[in-house]
Amino acid sequence: GLFAGYIEQEATITNVAVGGTIRIGAISNWLSKYDLNLCENGNIAGITLANEVGLASVGGFGLNVFNSHSLNVLADLGLKGAIASFELTADAIRELKSEIPVVTIVYGRLPLMITEKCVGRELGSCEACESGTLKLTDRRGVEFPVLKRYKHRSVIFNSIPTYMADKRSELISSSIISE
């Protein structure tokens, strides 16, 4: 699988730059202090950082891998694998050609938005954000889970989880999963 051989320690380099600027030296120094062996990257700059400190690197959803060309460019930059774009069909994922493995998300809540402002703080309290119980509710009463990320950044997730278990035969015929 995509994470074979990389079991214990993982870092994530987000798809949003800290304060609008990435300080490669500072982040590289920070990463090198930990006994990490895998880094999930949400942006291209993260691949450079991971390479600089000798971490194996896989592409996260933020890279939006949509075709074989982008996948091969990312492989040339040093990625060991990637998550396919959420928007691809099973047939389109099957058509991705590269020497690195590609995975897709078949179950879970997909991120809709990353906010620079803390949603919990804007709603009056950081406690719900810290505990993982914060939800935004739209005008129709639909709830969207919110999780805290770096400092007071928030990730807003889809109200309905992606669920592809009912598409098992399509996933098998597209070679995305095996029997």
Side-chain angles (χ1 to χ4, degrees):
L2 184 59
F3 299 105
Y6 305 102
I7 299 168
E8 293 294 323
Q9 302 294 319
E10 176 188 346
T12 299
I13 298 177
T14 67
N15 49 338
V16 179
V18 177
T21 310
I22 293 181
R23 296 184 189 133
I24 291 178
I27 294 174
S28 294
N29 288 337
W30 179 82
L31 284 172
S32 64
K33 290 179 186 178
Y34 298 93
D35 185 25
L36 303 171
N37 59 6
L38 178 67
C39 184
E40 176 192 348
N41 287 291
N43 66 44
I44 290 179
I47 300 168
T48 302
L49 293 172
N51 290 342
E52 192 171 293
V53 297
L55 285 174
S57 189
V58 295
F61 74 88
L63 290 173
N64 201 27
V65 173
F66 213 84
N67 56 44
S68 297
H69 179 71
S70 63
L71 187 58
N72 288 314
V73 167
L74 293 169
D76 290 344
L77 291 172
L79 281 188
K80 304 298 182 202
I83 297 173
S85 172
F86 304 154
E87 298 174 27
L88 292 178
T89 64
D91 288 337
I93 293 168
R94 184 190 67 230
E95 296 299 319
L96 292 173
K97 304 292 183 220
S98 179
E99 293 187 17
I100 64 173
V102 179
V103 297
T104 190
I105 296 174
V106 296
Y107 179 80
R109 292 184 190 266
L110 300 177
L112 295 177
M113 182 185 309
I114 300 171
T115 68
E116 191 64 32
K117 279 190 150 190
C118 176
V119 173
R121 184 182 287 170
E122 291 297 311
L123 296 175
S125 167
C126 289
E127 285 78 27
C129 204
E130 295 279 343
S131 70
T133 60
L134 183 63
K135 292 180 171 57
L136 289 178
T137 305
D138 72 7
R139 69 183 186 284
R140 297 172 298 146
V142 177
E143 293 183 334
F144 297 83
V146 179
L147 292 178
K148 176 185 174 187
R149 288 295 179 249
Y150 176 80
K151 293 192 178 182
H152 287 281
R153 184 172 289 140
S154 299
V155 180
I156 302 169
F157 290 88
N158 199 335
S159 61
I160 301 169
T162 292
Y163 177 81
M164 296 179 72
D166 59 337
K167 296 182 176 32
R168 182 173 168 76
S169 61
E170 182 183 347
L171 296 171
I172 291 169
S173 68
S174 295
S175 301
I176 293 172
I177 63 171
S178 58
E179 292 187 62

